[in-house]
Amino acid sequence: QVQLVESGGGLVQAGGSLRLSCAASGRTFSNYAMGWFRQAPGKEREFAASISRGGTTIYADSVKGRFTISRDNAKSTAYLQMNSLNAEDTAVYYCAAGRTLSSRYSLYDYWGQGTQVTVSS
């Protein structure tokens, strides 16, 4: 089992920045790819970014160039740096641990409880 706890969400003005953290415990963090997904009210959960065990990254087109995913294996923590935020980024953000780098929701085995990000325009 892997336990994931997100933090760093909050209220920010459009154009601002936030950094989300995802602290992992349980099994060896470095063995997992890490992903960030988000879910806006009334919408399905959607992929934002993922980082492989080796540090390869992929992004959704909607966040490319604005968001940066990273990981610190020594701290068992993944991060999502979010810049140039806009109202469309308002959502609950979830981190997830999976077997491989992917944008597919179904390939992630463990999920955090989510952290709310609200961008005011």
Side-chain angles (χ1 to χ4, degrees), residues 75-103:
K75 295 182 178 179
S76 297
T77 301
Y79 303 96
L80 187 67
Q81 177 67 44
M82 306 186 296
N83 299 328
S84 302
L85 287 161
N86 58 61
E88 288 70 40
D89 296 317
T90 295
V92 177
Y93 283 72
Y94 299 89
C95 72
R99 292 153 284 174
T100 188
L101 181 72
S102 178
S103 62

mmCIF file of all heavy atoms in Angstrom, residues 75-103:
data_model
loop_
_atom_site.group_PDB
_atom_site.id
_atom_site.type_symbol
_atom_site.label_atom_id
_atom_site.label_comp_id
_atom_site.label_asym_id
_atom_site.label_seq_id
_atom_site.Cartn_x
_atom_site.Cartn_y
_atom_site.Cartn_z
ATOM 1 N N LYS A 75 12.791 12.597 -0.258
ATOM 2 C CA LYS A 75 11.714 13.074 0.616
ATOM 3 C C LYS A 75 10.395 12.350 0.350
ATOM 4 O O LYS A 75 9.385 12.676 0.969
ATOM 5 C CB LYS A 75 11.516 14.580 0.431
ATOM 6 C CG LYS A 75 12.707 15.417 0.869
ATOM 7 C CD LYS A 75 12.419 16.902 0.714
ATOM 8 C CE LYS A 75 13.596 17.747 1.210
ATOM 9 N NZ LYS A 75 13.347 19.200 1.057
ATOM 10 N N SER A 76 10.397 11.426 -0.598
ATOM 11 C CA SER A 76 9.169 10.699 -0.961
ATOM 12 C C SER A 76 8.032 11.662 -1.257
ATOM 13 O O SER A 76 6.894 11.478 -0.800
ATOM 14 C CB SER A 76 8.761 9.727 0.161
ATOM 15 O OG SER A 76 9.750 8.740 0.355
ATOM 16 N N THR A 77 8.339 12.673 -2.033
ATOM 17 C CA THR A 77 7.368 13.728 -2.302
ATOM 18 C C THR A 77 7.391 14.097 -3.794
ATOM 19 O O THR A 77 8.462 14.205 -4.388
ATOM 20 C CB THR A 77 7.656 14.974 -1.461
ATOM 21 O OG1 THR A 77 7.603 14.619 -0.073
ATOM 22 C CG2 THR A 77 6.630 16.068 -1.721
ATOM 23 N N ALA A 78 6.197 14.293 -4.331
ATOM 24 C CA ALA A 78 6.037 14.817 -5.681
ATOM 25 C C ALA A 78 5.458 16.222 -5.592
ATOM 26 O O ALA A 78 4.758 16.545 -4.624
ATOM 27 C CB ALA A 78 5.125 13.921 -6.506
ATOM 28 N N TYR A 79 5.754 17.023 -6.591
ATOM 29 C CA TYR A 79 5.321 18.416 -6.583
ATOM 30 C C TYR A 79 4.653 18.771 -7.906
ATOM 31 O O TYR A 79 4.945 18.182 -8.956
ATOM 32 C CB TYR A 79 6.523 19.348 -6.379
ATOM 33 C CG TYR A 79 7.315 19.075 -5.135
ATOM 34 C CD1 TYR A 79 8.461 18.281 -5.168
ATOM 35 C CD2 TYR A 79 6.917 19.603 -3.904
ATOM 36 C CE1 TYR A 79 9.191 18.023 -4.024
ATOM 37 C CE2 TYR A 79 7.643 19.345 -2.755
ATOM 38 C CZ TYR A 79 8.776 18.551 -2.824
ATOM 39 O OH TYR A 79 9.492 18.301 -1.684
ATOM 40 N N LEU A 80 3.789 19.770 -7.828
ATOM 41 C CA LEU A 80 3.232 20.352 -9.040
ATOM 42 C C LEU A 80 3.301 21.867 -8.893
ATOM 43 O O LEU A 80 2.558 22.447 -8.107
ATOM 44 C CB LEU A 80 1.793 19.908 -9.281
ATOM 45 C CG LEU A 80 1.199 20.351 -10.616
ATOM 46 C CD1 LEU A 80 1.909 19.661 -11.781
ATOM 47 C CD2 LEU A 80 -0.304 20.070 -10.666
ATOM 48 N N GLN A 81 4.236 22.465 -9.601
ATOM 49 C CA GLN A 81 4.352 23.917 -9.618
ATOM 50 C C GLN A 81 3.405 24.453 -10.690
ATOM 51 O O GLN A 81 3.514 24.063 -11.853
ATOM 52 C CB GLN A 81 5.783 24.337 -9.933
ATOM 53 C CG GLN A 81 5.986 25.837 -10.045
ATOM 54 C CD GLN A 81 5.793 26.562 -8.738
ATOM 55 O OE1 GLN A 81 6.265 26.129 -7.694
ATOM 56 N NE2 GLN A 81 5.084 27.684 -8.778
ATOM 57 N N MET A 82 2.509 25.335 -10.281
ATOM 58 C CA MET A 82 1.487 25.860 -11.186
ATOM 59 C C MET A 82 1.645 27.370 -11.299
ATOM 60 O O MET A 82 1.524 28.081 -10.302
ATOM 61 C CB MET A 82 0.090 25.502 -10.667
ATOM 62 C CG MET A 82 -0.103 24.022 -10.409
ATOM 63 S SD MET A 82 -1.801 23.600 -9.954
ATOM 64 C CE MET A 82 -1.975 24.472 -8.403
ATOM 65 N N ASN A 83 1.926 27.833 -12.503
ATOM 66 C CA ASN A 83 2.095 29.261 -12.770
ATOM 67 C C ASN A 83 1.029 29.751 -13.733
ATOM 68 O O ASN A 83 0.366 28.947 -14.396
ATOM 69 C CB ASN A 83 3.483 29.522 -13.347
ATOM 70 C CG ASN A 83 4.607 29.114 -12.417
ATOM 71 O OD1 ASN A 83 4.476 29.190 -11.201
ATOM 72 N ND2 ASN A 83 5.717 28.683 -12.994
ATOM 73 N N SER A 84 0.885 31.054 -13.803
ATOM 74 C CA SER A 84 -0.074 31.675 -14.731
ATOM 75 C C SER A 84 -1.452 31.033 -14.621
ATOM 76 O O SER A 84 -2.085 30.694 -15.621
ATOM 77 C CB SER A 84 0.443 31.575 -16.171
ATOM 78 O OG SER A 84 1.702 32.196 -16.303
ATOM 79 N N LEU A 85 -1.906 30.880 -13.400
ATOM 80 C CA LEU A 85 -3.190 30.214 -13.165
ATOM 81 C C LEU A 85 -4.351 31.054 -13.686
ATOM 82 O O LEU A 85 -4.305 32.299 -13.657
ATOM 83 C CB LEU A 85 -3.363 29.937 -11.678
ATOM 84 C CG LEU A 85 -2.482 28.787 -11.145
ATOM 85 C CD1 LEU A 85 -2.359 28.874 -9.628
ATOM 86 C CD2 LEU A 85 -3.053 27.455 -11.569
ATOM 87 N N ASN A 86 -5.369 30.366 -14.156
ATOM 88 C CA ASN A 86 -6.588 31.026 -14.604
ATOM 89 C C ASN A 86 -7.803 30.308 -14.032
ATOM 90 O O ASN A 86 -7.669 29.243 -13.415
ATOM 91 C CB ASN A 86 -6.636 31.101 -16.132
ATOM 92 C CG ASN A 86 -6.543 29.743 -16.780
ATOM 93 O OD1 ASN A 86 -7.394 28.892 -16.557
ATOM 94 N ND2 ASN A 86 -5.500 29.533 -17.589
ATOM 95 N N ALA A 87 -8.968 30.872 -14.236
ATOM 96 C CA ALA A 87 -10.185 30.347 -13.614
ATOM 97 C C ALA A 87 -10.455 28.901 -14.034
ATOM 98 O O ALA A 87 -11.029 28.129 -13.252
ATOM 99 C CB ALA A 87 -11.369 31.237 -13.960
ATOM 100 N N GLU A 88 -10.036 28.544 -15.230
ATOM 101 C CA GLU A 88 -10.261 27.176 -15.723
ATOM 102 C C GLU A 88 -9.420 26.143 -14.978
ATOM 103 O O GLU A 88 -9.643 24.939 -15.127
ATOM 104 C CB GLU A 88 -9.976 27.092 -17.226
ATOM 105 C CG GLU A 88 -11.013 27.784 -18.116
ATOM 106 C CD GLU A 88 -10.964 29.301 -17.990
ATOM 107 O OE1 GLU A 88 -9.847 29.859 -17.912
ATOM 108 O OE2 GLU A 88 -12.053 29.918 -17.968
ATOM 109 N N ASP A 89 -8.450 26.595 -14.205
ATOM 110 C CA ASP A 89 -7.632 25.681 -13.414
ATOM 111 C C ASP A 89 -8.274 25.356 -12.069
ATOM 112 O O ASP A 89 -7.753 24.522 -11.324
ATOM 113 C CB ASP A 89 -6.254 26.281 -13.174
ATOM 114 C CG ASP A 89 -5.460 26.474 -14.457
ATOM 115 O OD1 ASP A 89 -5.469 25.562 -15.301
ATOM 116 O OD2 ASP A 89 -4.839 27.547 -14.611
ATOM 117 N N THR A 90 -9.384 25.994 -11.746
ATOM 118 C CA THR A 90 -10.085 25.719 -10.494
ATOM 119 C C THR A 90 -10.580 24.281 -10.478
ATOM 120 O O THR A 90 -11.299 23.850 -11.387
ATOM 121 C CB THR A 90 -11.256 26.685 -10.309
ATOM 122 O OG1 THR A 90 -10.753 28.016 -10.157
ATOM 123 C CG2 THR A 90 -12.074 26.314 -9.084
ATOM 124 N N ALA A 91 -10.170 23.528 -9.456
ATOM 125 C CA ALA A 91 -10.510 22.110 -9.388
ATOM 126 C C ALA A 91 -9.967 21.548 -8.086
ATOM 127 O O ALA A 91 -9.164 22.184 -7.393
ATOM 128 C CB ALA A 91 -9.916 21.344 -10.571
ATOM 129 N N VAL A 92 -10.383 20.317 -7.792
ATOM 130 C CA VAL A 92 -9.700 19.531 -6.772
ATOM 131 C C VAL A 92 -8.571 18.787 -7.473
ATOM 132 O O VAL A 92 -8.796 18.142 -8.497
ATOM 133 C CB VAL A 92 -10.652 18.545 -6.082
ATOM 134 C CG1 VAL A 92 -9.887 17.691 -5.070
ATOM 135 C CG2 VAL A 92 -11.790 19.286 -5.389
ATOM 136 N N TYR A 93 -7.380 18.906 -6.926
ATOM 137 C CA TYR A 93 -6.208 18.281 -7.514
ATOM 138 C C TYR A 93 -5.831 17.037 -6.708
ATOM 139 O O TYR A 93 -5.723 17.098 -5.481
ATOM 140 C CB TYR A 93 -5.038 19.261 -7.547
ATOM 141 C CG TYR A 93 -5.182 20.275 -8.659
ATOM 142 C CD1 TYR A 93 -6.137 21.285 -8.575
ATOM 143 C CD2 TYR A 93 -4.381 20.216 -9.799
ATOM 144 C CE1 TYR A 93 -6.282 22.206 -9.606
ATOM 145 C CE2 TYR A 93 -4.521 21.139 -10.824
ATOM 146 C CZ TYR A 93 -5.477 22.123 -10.718
ATOM 147 O OH TYR A 93 -5.629 23.035 -11.732
ATOM 148 N N TYR A 94 -5.633 15.943 -7.435
ATOM 149 C CA TYR A 94 -5.301 14.666 -6.825
ATOM 150 C C TYR A 94 -3.930 14.192 -7.306
ATOM 151 O O TYR A 94 -3.625 14.290 -8.492
ATOM 152 C CB TYR A 94 -6.322 13.602 -7.216
ATOM 153 C CG TYR A 94 -7.732 13.884 -6.784
ATOM 154 C CD1 TYR A 94 -8.606 14.607 -7.598
ATOM 155 C CD2 TYR A 94 -8.218 13.412 -5.558
ATOM 156 C CE1 TYR A 94 -9.908 14.861 -7.217
ATOM 157 C CE2 TYR A 94 -9.524 13.660 -5.163
ATOM 158 C CZ TYR A 94 -10.360 14.382 -6.002
ATOM 159 O OH TYR A 94 -11.651 14.630 -5.610
ATOM 160 N N CYS A 95 -3.142 13.658 -6.400
ATOM 161 C CA CYS A 95 -1.942 12.977 -6.847
ATOM 162 C C CYS A 95 -2.203 11.479 -6.818
ATOM 163 O O CYS A 95 -3.076 10.991 -6.091
ATOM 164 C CB CYS A 95 -0.717 13.348 -6.015
ATOM 165 S SG CYS A 95 -0.673 12.678 -4.358
ATOM 166 N N ALA A 96 -1.430 10.767 -7.632
ATOM 167 C CA ALA A 96 -1.621 9.333 -7.772
ATOM 168 C C ALA A 96 -0.286 8.663 -8.038
ATOM 169 O O ALA A 96 0.616 9.272 -8.620
ATOM 170 C CB ALA A 96 -2.586 9.039 -8.919
ATOM 171 N N ALA A 97 -0.181 7.418 -7.608
ATOM 172 C CA ALA A 97 1.020 6.612 -7.833
ATOM 173 C C ALA A 97 0.657 5.424 -8.703
ATOM 174 O O ALA A 97 -0.363 4.751 -8.453
ATOM 175 C CB ALA A 97 1.601 6.142 -6.508
ATOM 176 N N GLY A 98 1.502 5.169 -9.702
ATOM 177 C CA GLY A 98 1.194 4.081 -10.616
ATOM 178 C C GLY A 98 2.441 3.361 -11.084
ATOM 179 O O GLY A 98 3.567 3.697 -10.707
ATOM 180 N N ARG A 99 2.215 2.365 -11.938
ATOM 181 C CA ARG A 99 3.291 1.493 -12.370
ATOM 182 C C ARG A 99 4.106 2.083 -13.504
ATOM 183 O O ARG A 99 5.257 1.699 -13.715
ATOM 184 C CB ARG A 99 2.703 0.154 -12.808
ATOM 185 C CG ARG A 99 2.110 -0.647 -11.670
ATOM 186 C CD ARG A 99 1.013 -1.577 -12.151
ATOM 187 N NE ARG A 99 -0.228 -0.842 -12.432
ATOM 188 C CZ ARG A 99 -1.301 -1.390 -12.974
ATOM 189 N NH1 ARG A 99 -1.295 -2.660 -13.332
ATOM 190 N NH2 ARG A 99 -2.400 -0.671 -13.186
ATOM 191 N N THR A 100 3.515 3.021 -14.248
ATOM 192 C CA THR A 100 4.193 3.527 -15.440
ATOM 193 C C THR A 100 3.748 4.948 -15.734
ATOM 194 O O THR A 100 2.670 5.380 -15.291
ATOM 195 C CB THR A 100 3.891 2.615 -16.641
ATOM 196 O OG1 THR A 100 4.694 3.019 -17.746
ATOM 197 C CG2 THR A 100 2.424 2.695 -17.045
ATOM 198 N N LEU A 101 4.581 5.651 -16.473
ATOM 199 C CA LEU A 101 4.252 7.009 -16.902
ATOM 200 C C LEU A 101 3.029 6.951 -17.824
ATOM 201 O O LEU A 101 3.054 6.273 -18.851
ATOM 202 C CB LEU A 101 5.445 7.592 -17.655
ATOM 203 C CG LEU A 101 5.323 9.016 -18.165
ATOM 204 C CD1 LEU A 101 5.378 10.006 -17.020
ATOM 205 C CD2 LEU A 101 6.452 9.297 -19.167
ATOM 206 N N SER A 102 1.986 7.669 -17.462
ATOM 207 C CA SER A 102 0.768 7.586 -18.273
ATOM 208 C C SER A 102 -0.170 8.725 -17.944
ATOM 209 O O SER A 102 -0.164 9.258 -16.831
ATOM 210 C CB SER A 102 0.052 6.264 -18.008
ATOM 211 O OG SER A 102 -1.153 6.184 -18.749
ATOM 212 N N SER A 103 -1.010 9.055 -18.922
ATOM 213 C CA SER A 103 -2.086 10.006 -18.699
ATOM 214 C C SER A 103 -3.405 9.288 -18.397
ATOM 215 O O SER A 103 -4.429 9.948 -18.208
ATOM 216 C CB SER A 103 -2.257 10.900 -19.930
ATOM 217 O OG SER A 103 -2.621 10.117 -21.048
#
